Amino acid sequence: MHLSRLILSEFRNYTQAELTLGPGLFLFCGENAQGKTNLLEAVGMLATGNSFHASNDREVVKWLAPDHIARIEGYVQRREDALHIEIALFDPTPALSPTAITRYAMPETPGSAVLPRKRIKVNGIPRRVMELIGQMNVVFFAPADLHLVDGSPDERRRFLDRALCQIQPRYCQALVKYRKVLTQRSALLKRIRDNLEEARMLDYLDEQLTTLASYLSYERRQMVTLLNSEAHLLQLAISGGREQLEVIYHPSFMLDARWTSVEAIQQYREQLNSIRKREILQGVCLLGPHRDDLEFVVNGVNLLTYGSRGQQRTAALAAKLAELAYMRASTGDEPLLLLDDVFSELDHTRRDYLLQQVMQHEQVLLTTTELHDLPAAITAQAHLYQVREGRLQAL
Ligand SMILES: Nc1ncnc2c1ncn2[C@@H]1O[C@H](COP(=O)(O)OP(=O)(O)O)[C@@H](O)[C@H]1O
Ligand SMILES: [Mg+2]
């Protein structure tokens, strides 16, 4: 699939921007703080309804925008059909203008000043975030992703979740629900610790927790299994045949691949019971997908502890490219590849390898501060744009 048109208004530092795109390589170059990452963020939001890094939707609304509304519009060409996605994001802090209120008020409360934070339409029909996810797929690759191996476990979980959420709305729903249960359960654990509630009150939440957790872990393990064969080949190729990579999924509780889902839930429940006292004492949930991790092993050695920086980066790159292949295989269509300033962080071999993959891809949006950081093969083929102070100019 590819994005054929992108329109932004009052989004981050863009007042108004329009881009005609298509299959191929699009290169956005500009100095720091000009709007390169913002542009990719907008494209990512079309796919997931949420920002890759904003903690709050309100953040993306351009400061001092007259209507306090940011809009992102995209036309997507998929293998079988086309989509028109519109997202409007509101900054409810300042008072909204009367025109904004009549334009975006909820249909069920006409004229009401109570507005949602975000309105989404797909082909003109209002949709919820959950219904948007999966319509358009992206793989986002930023310098932080090169720390997939040596960064925090949180990032490795996010890596799994990002891909799984995009290809399986059901996973995304379960994850949201799981997080809610987790919050409720932690609060309850603290109340039990403080003798405000009885321990048996946990039973009901544990029931939900175990079902959701088993499902999430099952899907994560499936993904890692599929990811592995591809990542293995990539690491081998990038390292000139020297490095055998294995990605191992470590759920925070004991989980045997041979167990049925009923057995898995049963086992998880028993493990939960056995640590109940400790959980109450600490007032936190100690077992579950929120504590999962991934281990990267090269030639039998753990990369986090013993890998060189180079090996860690190769593995991160291999994992990201494997994610791309995984999404392609799962959806039957090519996701968009968004590369935010990653070439400058890679050495020659890895750069060439990434480049080779990039050139074969249907659509790639790539940002850089330094054009000559990029191999000539890329710049010669790319559609070039200059990004300056939230404005795009074809070069
Ligand atoms: N809501 C916003 N309104 C206006 N400007 C913003 C907003 N959010 C971020 N910016 C500006 O966007 C710029 C950063 O853009 P970014 O895309 O991260 O730059 P880069 O080109 O380095 O990737 C900064 O100048 C920042 O002040
Ligand atoms: Mg940037």
Side-chain angles (χ1 to χ4, degrees), residues 2 4 26 30 64 194 263 339 351 365:
H2 62 262
S4 51
F26 292 80
L64 306 174
D194 300 340
E263 283 170 326
L339 296 171
R351 215 185 262 195
L365 311 188

Side-chain angles (χ1 to χ4, degrees), residues 31-38 40 53 143 340-341 367 369:
E31 288 173 16
N32 275 324
Q34 302 302 308
K36 300 184 298 299
T37 301
N38 294 347
L40 299 190
H53 60 250
D340 196 16
D341 230 342
T367 72
T369 42

Side-chain angles (χ1 to χ4, degrees), residues 156-172:
R156 292 186 281 277
R157 288 189 287 269
R158 214 173 1 242
F159 165 72
L160 297 176
D161 289 341
R162 253 193 210 168
L164 281 166
C165 278
Q166 282 195 61
I167 58 164
Q168 288 192 49
R170 201 177 142 225
Y171 180 91
C172 203

Side-chain angles (χ1 to χ4, degrees), residues 111-255:
S112 158
V114 183
L115 293 171
R117 298 280 161 90
K118 175 152 66 186
R119 300 290 303 265
I120 297 170
K121 281 186 187 170
V122 179
N123 293 337
I125 301 165
R127 297 287 184 199
R128 290 175 302 132
V129 174
M130 283 296 172
E131 296 168 314
L132 172 71
I133 295 173
Q135 302 280 346
M136 166 186 159
N137 300 124
V138 301
V139 171
F140 182 69
F141 194 177
D145 293 301
L146 290 168
H147 294 287
L148 186 67
V149 176
D150 60 336
S152 73
D154 208 41
E155 259 160 60
R156 292 186 281 277
R157 288 189 287 269
R158 214 173 1 242
F159 165 72
L160 297 176
D161 289 341
R162 253 193 210 168
L164 281 166
C165 278
Q166 282 195 61
I167 58 164
Q168 288 192 49
R170 201 177 142 225
Y171 180 91
C172 203
Q173 273 158 359
L175 190 65
V176 171
K177 235 169 153 178
Y178 175 77
R179 289 191 180 135
K180 270 194 195 135
V181 173
L182 216 53
T183 312
Q184 290 172 356
R185 196 170 175 276
S186 300
L188 183 57
L189 285 167
K190 289 189 186 79
R191 290 177 62 80
I192 295 169
R193 183 188 57 196
D194 300 340
N195 292 319
L196 297 167
E197 212 79 68
E198 284 177 45
R200 65 182 169 83
M201 297 302 284
L202 279 170
D203 293 348
Y204 171 70
L205 282 181
D206 283 5
E207 204 56 42
Q208 295 187 21
L209 192 79
T210 45
T211 312
L212 291 165
S214 308
Y215 166 71
L216 294 172
S217 306
Y218 175 81
E219 293 298 336
R220 283 182 179 179
R221 193 177 51 205
Q222 292 283 97
M223 175 179 164
V224 175
T225 308
L226 293 171
L227 211 65
N228 241 307
S229 45
E230 192 71 26
H232 179 90
L233 289 175
L234 288 160
Q235 183 95 14
L236 211 56
I238 304 172
S239 65
R242 284 189 306 272
E243 297 176 6
Q244 307 257 2
L245 172 70
E246 194 188 352
V247 188
I248 304 167
Y249 174 53
H250 287 293
S252 68
F253 51 94
M254 210 171 53
L255 188 68

Side-chain angles (χ1 to χ4, degrees), residues 39 57 78 100 102 117 131 153 170 176 199 232-233 262 349 354 362 376:
L39 185 72
D57 286 339
R78 299 195 293 193
T102 39
R117 298 280 161 90
E131 296 168 314
R170 201 177 142 225
V176 171
H232 179 90
L233 289 175
V262 177
T349 325
L354 179 58
E362 181 174 341

